[in-house]
Amino acid sequence: MNNRIALLLALILPLTALASGGEEEKSAEPKVAYYSLVPALVGNFGSGPKLKFYKADIALRVTGSEAEEKVEHHEPLIRNQLVMLFSQQSDANMGDEAAKEQLRQEALRQVQEVLTQEEGKPIVEDLLFNNLIIQ
């Protein structure tokens, strides 16, 4: 009976070591994070006699804590780029879903361009409008 237990332990211990080693490799993979630009971007847009306002809650998708730290470091530059982009929009560019999607893609492109100039790579993988209010 003791031989069977010893044999069973001899077979199980290497398997548990392999299983725990696999978990360590998985946890070493960079994690996807969403960096929220807080507070929300607020400003006016368009031309004409009547002022139009926007409020945009934006999240940036990055992979890894190093990328998140770089985005946080460059947040003032990113915010400036996005405020400038939003302030240049017209009613047509902010009105319907298709126009908002084009605006989202242009915002992502500009953020990636700025980060490429500063860091040598785009860092941000996607830009999401958590909330976009136009008034």
Side-chain angles (χ1 to χ4, degrees):
M1 185 87 160
N2 286 339
N3 289 342
R4 287 184 183 174
I5 293 173
L7 180 60
L8 185 60
L9 285 175
L11 291 173
I12 291 175
L13 286 176
L15 294 176
T16 57
L18 284 174
S20 67
E23 289 175 12
E24 289 174 10
E25 289 176 18
K26 287 180 186 175
S27 65
E29 292 177 12
K31 301 219 187 257
V32 172
Y34 291 90
Y35 184 85
S36 294
L37 298 178
V38 176
L41 302 175
V42 178
N44 59 343
F45 70 97
S47 60
K50 186 176 178 187
L51 283 177
K52 297 166 193 86
F53 296 95
Y54 69 88
K55 178 183 176 192
D57 288 314
I58 295 174
L60 306 173
R61 188 178 77 201
V62 296
T63 300
S65 59
E66 182 181 341
E68 194 172 2
E69 289 170 7
K70 288 180 180 181
V71 167
E72 182 179 7
H73 176 74
H74 294 294
E75 183 178 349
L77 185 59
I78 292 168
R79 291 177 75 84
N80 179 66
Q81 191 70 30
L82 291 173
V83 166
M84 297 303 289
L85 174 65
F86 280 106
S87 68
Q88 296 169 359
Q89 300 307 306
S90 66
D91 285 338
N93 293 359
M94 302 279 262
D96 64 356
E97 289 302 315
K100 287 179 183 176
E101 176 60 20
Q102 286 181 331
L103 178 61
R104 186 192 70 79
Q105 289 177 0
E106 178 61 21
L108 173 62
R109 188 190 68 72
Q110 287 194 19
V111 167
Q112 289 176 332
E113 189 176 291
V114 165
L115 288 171
T116 300
Q117 290 172 359
E118 294 296 317
E119 293 290 334
K121 57 184 177 180
I123 299 172
V124 172
E125 298 162 5
D126 203 1
L127 181 143
L128 306 168
F129 291 149
N130 291 334
N131 199 2
L132 181 58
I133 300 171
I134 298 160
Q135 193 172 8

